[in-house]
Amino acid sequence: MSAQDKNTPGTNLNNHQQSMANIAVLSAVGNIQELKTQLNTGLDSGLTINEIKEALVQLYAYCGFPRSLNSINAFMEVLEERKIKGIIDVAGREASPITDTGNKYDVGKETFQKLTGREETGPKTGANAFAPIIDVFLKEHLFADIFSRDILDYRQREFVTISILSAMSGVEPQLQAHISMGLNTGITEGQIMELSTIIEKHIGKEQAEIVRNTLVKVIKINKKD
């Protein structure tokens, strides 16, 4: 995100991070009316058009094209309304050209290993073994195509991902995995706890408690390792 978010992360979420969390959470659950309010808040706080756009595109990898497209359309409406009011929003920089010509699967695998902090060795297990093509799609598209775009860095992308998954029910295994990756990228436990208060506000206490419990589980696992 903008320069403010590129600083060393603190205990609490800064204004940019709070806005991005609100935008990701509301997009994930399809609350378009409230999303428009938060999109305005995010722009007013200094997020660029391209930063928000990038998060809304990434959304589809976790909750589908319909949510992503609806949120992008809502963002277009917000920008048009602001333009009519004479508000000039900063577009922000475009993604740098991707110059890595290596095998896309290997690029994605390397990114995944950086996020997890672990080398991926041995035969595939679980869903990746049962349906190997999903592993290919994850590595080549999500962790290569999407995560290689430098408008958002790994920490920012993981924060968006955690926000999305925190808003959704029934995805605790994925939330646990991404909280672990998020901590590896520099997101703090305190920031995830603060994110849970955003979840409680928009989604409810039960979902917020799932986020907190999942964080505790990740912390315990990390201590054992």
Side-chain angles (χ1 to χ4, degrees), residues 163-179:
S163 299
I164 293 167
L165 295 174
S166 292
M168 300 166 64
S169 61
V171 294
E172 285 86 347
Q174 291 76 25
L175 176 61
Q176 180 178 325
H178 281 282
I179 286 178

Side-chain angles (χ1 to χ4, degrees), residues 38-59:
Q38 294 301 330
L39 287 167
N40 275 289
T41 300
L43 290 166
D44 290 339
S45 76
L47 288 175
T48 69
I49 293 172
N50 285 338
E51 287 168 345
I52 295 174
K53 191 189 301 183
E54 195 73 15
L56 297 181
V57 169
Q58 181 177 320
L59 189 78

Side-chain angles (χ1 to χ4, degrees), residues 84-116:
I84 292 172
K85 294 177 181 177
I87 301 172
I88 301 174
D89 292 303
V90 178
R93 65 184 184 84
E94 300 284 344
S96 303
I98 296 175
T99 57
D100 192 332
T101 58
N103 178 277
K104 194 181 291 187
Y105 182 89
D106 292 338
V107 171
K109 180 178 179 179
E110 183 179 354
T111 298
F112 180 71
Q113 290 178 152
K114 288 178 181 177
L115 292 170
T116 61

Side-chain angles (χ1 to χ4, degrees), residues 34 47 67 85 87 120 125 135 144 163-164 173 183 208 213:
E34 184 59 29
L47 288 175
R67 294 288 194 224
K85 294 177 181 177
I87 301 172
E120 189 178 59
T125 60
D135 178 60
S163 299
I164 293 167
L183 294 176
N213 290 339

Side-chain angles (χ1 to χ4, degrees), residues 33-84:
Q33 183 174 355
E34 184 59 29
L35 171 61
K36 288 183 176 181
T37 298
Q38 294 301 330
L39 287 167
N40 275 289
T41 300
L43 290 166
D44 290 339
S45 76
L47 288 175
T48 69
I49 293 172
N50 285 338
E51 287 168 345
I52 295 174
K53 191 189 301 183
E54 195 73 15
L56 297 181
V57 169
Q58 181 177 320
L59 189 78
Y60 93 85
Y62 297 97
C63 57
F65 277 109
R67 294 288 194 224
S68 177
L69 290 168
N70 289 346
S71 299
I72 290 171
N73 285 331
F75 190 32
M76 291 169 61
E77 292 175 11
V78 166
L79 290 173
E80 184 60 28
E81 291 168 0
R82 291 169 68 89
K83 183 178 179 180
I84 292 172

